Amino acid sequence: MSDAGAPVLWLDRVTRVYRQGSADLVVFRDVSLELHSGQIVALVGPSGAGKSSLLHIAGLLEAPTSGEVFIDGQPVSRLSERKRTEIRRQTLGFVYQFHHLLPEFTALENVSMPRRIAGETRQAAAVEAARLLGQVGLAERFNHRPAQLSGGEQQRVAIARALANRPRVLLADEPTGNLDMHTADSVFDTLIALVRSKGLAALIATHNYALANRMDRTLVLSEGQLEEGNARSRTP
């Protein structure tokens, strides 16, 4: 782990409030966190605490009600949709609980997609996709469509796709939540090994406290507040 220098991602006193009829629902208030290159941080907390909302704000998928998101020291949450989309494509990678692979495309084509969207040639994108699929242990599954893959294999493809554009930050929302325990451990091992080998900053929301214990830090989101925590002292 390395947390020297300025953070790659910094949430500064972020608040998220949803309007429900005539009432305001405060999901969290004045939440701050720093994420440094080479650092893997677990985000834990009860269901409904706002972990997904926090990840969406960190990933520029929604704006905070107040506060700011900084990437490489630059405020980004109030930029235009075009600019935020550009930052997401260049700097951020996403892994979700469900793989969201395109069913009509092969594993190779799914992983190639981000680089094709970024303007790379089909051949160059395929070479990078093949390299990533090899790194997640799917060298023999390039031409299989999602329906022909196991749940663990689907999620490995999703991890490879998230890394296709060589992001600096990986945001993962319950990336092993749909998998059985054995498969979850295997997929998580792959995810962590890749993140560490590439020196990424990673924020991973999980209900799995055993997995949280294997990360560098644990942040607990509960009752609208974010605090440093120790997953070992808690039970699922």
Side-chain angles (χ1 to χ4, degrees):
M1 178 190 73
S2 172
D3 59 359
V8 181
L9 175 68
W10 174 30
L11 273 59
D12 182 31
R13 294 172 293 179
V14 164
T15 294
R16 190 65 174 106
V17 179
Y18 292 103
R19 190 73 175 174
Q20 291 191 332
S22 60
D24 288 338
L25 173 63
V26 179
V27 182
F28 43 76
R29 187 183 298 280
D30 292 333
V31 162
S32 296
L33 70 85
E34 295 183 0
L35 201 60
H36 295 260
S37 295
Q39 187 178 61
I40 303 173
V41 178
L43 178 62
V44 302
S47 296
K51 297 188 298 296
S52 292
S53 292
L54 189 63
L55 284 173
H56 288 169
I57 289 172
L60 307 183
L61 295 171
E62 60 182 85
T65 305
S66 63
E68 186 54 271
V69 179
F70 294 84
I71 293 180
D72 288 330
Q74 300 299 311
V76 294
S77 71
R78 313 295 173 182
L79 296 176
S80 68
E81 176 60 29
R82 182 181 66 82
K83 286 287 189 182
R84 286 185 284 118
T85 298
E86 183 177 329
I87 291 170
R88 284 196 298 270
R89 288 177 179 170
Q90 294 177 349
T91 308
L92 306 174
F94 299 87
V95 182
Y96 299 99
Q97 184 170 347
F98 185 71
H99 56 76
H100 295 296
L101 300 176
L102 298 173
E104 66 272 28
F105 293 103
T106 65
L108 188 72
E109 290 166 337
N110 267 282
V111 178
S112 297
M113 198 68 66
R115 299 190 73 83
R116 295 284 290 136
I117 291 171
E120 199 162 79
T121 66
R122 185 184 300 275
Q123 181 177 359
V127 168
E128 178 65 9
R131 185 182 69 83
L132 286 166
L133 285 168
Q135 289 180 340
V136 299
L138 295 178
E140 306 299 321
R141 311 289 272 173
F142 289 178
N143 294 318
H144 289 68
R145 289 183 169 83
Q148 299 170 307
L149 302 172
S150 69
E153 289 172 335
Q154 291 169 347
Q155 202 64 343
R156 288 172 186 271
V157 176
I159 291 168
R161 181 184 58 188
L163 300 176
N165 277 342
R166 299 171 185 165
R168 297 185 61 205
V169 178
L170 182 73
L171 302 170
D173 194 356
E174 298 285 352
T176 61
N178 281 339
L179 305 176
D180 63 76
M181 185 178 300
H182 174 75
T183 304
D185 283 346
S186 176
V187 170
F188 185 77
D189 286 344
T190 299
L191 175 62
I192 293 300
L194 280 172
V195 169
R196 292 207 187 281
S197 70
K198 297 175 185 300
L200 305 183
L203 181 62
I204 302 175
T206 182
H207 281 103
N208 188 324
Y209 287 79
L211 297 184
N213 284 334
R214 295 162 59 186
M215 301 187 221
D216 301 321
R217 293 169 58 205
T218 298
L219 297 175
V220 181
L221 184 61
S222 182
E223 298 181 351
Q225 300 296 312
L226 186 68
E227 299 178 349
E228 291 281 345
N230 182 353
R232 292 177 178 83
S233 66
R234 297 169 178 263
T235 57

